[in-house]
Amino acid sequence: MDINIGTLLGQTIAMIFFVWFCMKYIWPHILNAIEERQTKIADGLAAADRGQQKLEQAQAEAEDIVAEARKQATGILDQAHARANEIVADGKAEGVKERERQLAAAKAEIEQETNRAREELRGQVSAIAVASAEKILNREIDPAAHDDILGKLAQEL
Amino acid sequence: MAGEGGNEAGGSASYISHHLQNLQFCNKDGEWVWNDCAGNFWAVNVDSIFWAVFLGLIFLVSFRAVAKRSSADKPSRWQAVVEMIVEFVDVSVKETFHGKNKLIAPLALTIFVWVFLMNLMDLVPVDWIPLASYMVGIEYMKVVPTTDVNITFAMSISVFLLIIFYSLKHKGLGGFIAELTLHPIAPPLKGPGIIAAPFIIAFNFILESVALLAKPLSLSLRLFGNMFAGELIFILIALIGLFQLPLHFGWAVFHILVITLQAFIFMMLTIVYLSLASEKH
């Protein structure tokens, strides 16, 4: 327990060296790392805040856009419905017209056919009449003399 | 050793005094000798110095490893531990010491960790290292440097010199002298009372000098006293034979508080003294 200079001096020199080493090579490095991390964390938190704000903004914007799009879609749908109805109506009218046209054509054809048949029939009837009349009047009537009368007859039929 | 020492009074006395004897090295009558240094002012307590330097180097190496690879992004576990200690010291310094000083924080860190490590040697069972060194032929081995009054005094005197240095630096020689002589009783500088001024100044000077000198003295003796008493109790417990184990455990648990607290107090008082020294009135 005696005080002795040797130990005192030795310990003092050791302490000076240790404190110097700590001051030069340990303390600044570690404290720098701590402070750097602190600023990084603060920056990160600020960035997170900003990100949150931006996210909220973006969400609001997105909602606006979606609402707008929905409105447009409804408009387009309405238009499409109207157009579809129009097309259907058009089609119907066209169909009716076409049917009438076809009907008219068919009727005309039938008429034509009828006329043709009637004409033919008339010719045949007149031929038969002439033939029968010829046969009846074979002896007394000259076909050449009475052809105009027969023609008139055939015309009236 | 505990068993053979506990039987007789002489045995236990020699056991205790053997444990309290430093391994000394000195020059006696022109010859370098071991352990024959009673009263020799120039002796060196080799074991104290060895363990102090060894533990100081452990501190430097382990903290330097972190400082070299310290990264702000991915701290390793050991880095987290070291940073916790560093931040604790940094906060303690910043709370007490206002102003810029590059020395005080590293000084406080070194003192805290170093003193803690030196105190921690107290928790190594008292016979292990002395017995091991006895086996390799070293007769005395005191493993707790802070139970050596020289070690604590060396540290507190260093702090004391820093107190003087910072007082002179921040207050100037005049300010320092004024602080020693004009407090706590302000001497009258005018009127008939001026006759009393020299006496008051002398009184102040004695008072303030004692207060100043008490700082390193109390700083070192507090640490030394606590650790020496703790060590002594460990030695006494080691004397009682088999029943020492629960007692050892109890005292060791209590002592964990003591060693941490003493390291903290030494650091804190160093900071306080130095901040008082560099304060301007």
Side-chain angles (χ1 to χ4, degrees):
Chain A
M1 254 213 285
D2 309 331
I3 294 281
N4 53 55
I5 284 287
T7 318
L8 275 177
L9 266 182
Q11 175 72 2
T12 308
I13 291 165
M15 181 166 169
I16 290 168
F17 171 72
F18 289 156
V19 171
W20 169 81
F21 191 91
C22 180
M23 186 170 76
K24 194 107 182 169
Y25 296 109
I26 292 175
W27 185 265
H29 294 80
I30 295 176
L31 211 66
N32 274 351
I34 292 175
E35 275 164 4
E36 197 180 317
R37 185 171 321 121
Q38 278 172 344
T39 47
K40 262 189 187 169
I41 289 172
D43 288 354
L45 286 176
D49 268 352
R50 275 202 304 277
Q52 186 74 27
Q53 273 178 0
K54 270 189 189 159
L55 181 66
E56 275 163 19
Q57 256 176 22
Q59 269 173 348
E61 254 170 54
E63 266 166 33
D64 283 355
I65 289 170
V66 166
E68 182 74 16
R70 199 166 282 151
K71 219 160 58 178
Q72 277 183 0
T74 318
I76 288 170
L77 217 58
D78 286 350
Q79 270 181 2
H81 273 305
R83 180 95 188 97
N85 289 340
E86 216 171 276
I87 286 169
V88 168
D90 278 3
K92 251 183 208 164
E94 196 105 333
V96 169
K97 232 195 277 175
E98 178 70 17
R99 193 191 58 185
E100 277 166 4
R101 204 169 54 79
Q102 296 276 356
L103 214 60
K107 268 183 188 164
E109 203 166 326
I110 287 166
E111 194 141 327
Q112 232 176 7
E113 205 69 24
T114 314
N115 283 347
R116 207 160 43 83
R118 191 179 285 159
E119 208 62 41
E120 205 171 308
L121 207 59
R122 192 182 286 152
Q124 281 177 3
V125 167
S126 60
I128 290 168
V130 170
S132 50
E134 212 172 74
K135 269 175 191 158
I136 298 164
L137 302 176
N138 210 3
R139 282 143 312 186
E140 51 211 90
I141 299 167
D142 184 16
H146 306 288
D147 202 29
D148 58 329
I149 304 164
L150 285 173
K152 214 181 267 177
L153 199 68
Q155 204 81 138
E156 277 165 21
L157 273 170
Chain B
M1 268 181 133
E4 64 197 59
N7 295 332
E8 35 173 343
S12 50
S14 77
Y15 174 76
I16 294 170
S17 61
H18 184 272
H19 264 283
L20 297 181
Q21 176 64 46
N22 279 111
L23 176 70
Q24 288 185 314
F25 186 63
C26 60
N27 191 340
K28 192 181 184 188
D29 308 324
E31 238 183 300
W32 290 99
V33 291
W34 292 90
N35 300 322
D36 191 13
C37 306
N40 191 328
F41 195 57
W42 295 96
V44 179
N45 293 345
V46 179
D47 47 0
S48 299
I49 291 283
F50 169 77
W51 287 108
V53 170
F54 175 70
L55 294 165
L57 287 178
I58 285 180
F59 157 64
L60 288 192
V61 169
S62 55
F63 274 56
R64 175 69 187 151
V66 169
K68 238 194 317 200
R69 277 191 310 243
S70 64
S71 75
D73 294 325
K74 282 188 200 160
S76 61
R77 280 179 206 186
W78 178 238
Q79 187 182 345
V81 171
V82 166
E83 282 183 0
M84 216 164 71
I85 300 170
V86 167
E87 210 160 12
F88 164 70
V89 173
D90 192 43
V91 167
S92 302
V93 170
K94 275 184 183 147
E95 272 173 2
T96 314
F97 187 86
H98 308 290
K100 273 209 168 282
N101 194 316
K102 273 189 184 162
L103 175 65
I104 285 185
L107 174 72
L109 177 69
T110 310
I111 284 177
F112 179 65
V113 180
W114 196 17
V115 170
F116 177 77
L117 287 175
M118 290 195 284
N119 291 352
L120 196 64
M121 293 303 287
D122 220 356
L123 294 179
V124 178
V126 282
D127 277 327
W128 283 10
I129 297 172
L131 199 62
S133 49
Y134 187 76
M135 282 170 172
V136 298
I138 301 168
E139 198 173 348
Y140 299 106
M141 181 55 70
K142 226 173 134 188
V143 295
V144 191
T146 40
T147 59
D148 183 348
V149 77
N150 294 298
I151 296 293
T152 60
F153 258 119
M155 298 179 79
S156 72
I157 288 171
S158 308
V159 172
F160 180 66
L161 293 178
L162 280 176
I163 293 174
I164 305 274
F165 173 73
Y166 280 117
S167 294
L168 290 176
K169 187 181 165 195
H170 290 277
K171 295 163 187 162
L173 185 60
F176 187 45
I177 291 170
E179 195 183 57
L180 286 177
T181 52
L182 304 181
H183 297 277
I185 307 169
L189 299 171
K190 275 187 270 186
I194 205 161
I195 308 159
F199 299 104
I200 291 175
I201 284 172
F203 176 75
N204 283 342
F205 182 67
I206 291 167
L207 216 61
E208 286 293 319
S209 306
V210 169
L212 186 66
L213 291 174
K215 284 175 183 174
L217 208 61
S218 65
L219 200 57
S220 62
L221 287 182
R222 179 184 305 106
L223 180 60
F224 163 72
N226 273 283
M227 298 320 296
F228 188 78
E231 174 82 345
L232 199 59
I233 287 173
F234 272 123
I235 295 168
L236 290 175
I237 289 172
L239 277 172
I240 63 169
L242 200 60
F243 293 111
Q244 64 176 280
L245 289 176
L247 274 176
H248 250 313
F249 178 75
W251 181 241
V253 169
F254 179 67
H255 214 57
I256 291 173
L257 295 177
V258 174
I259 61 177
T260 318
L261 191 66
Q262 287 306 319
F264 175 69
I265 288 174
F266 203 109
M267 175 195 84
M268 211 56 219
L269 283 179
T270 303
I271 300 169
V272 169
Y273 290 157
L274 289 180
S275 71
L276 282 178
S278 27
E279 240 171 38
K280 275 185 182 162
H281 289 289

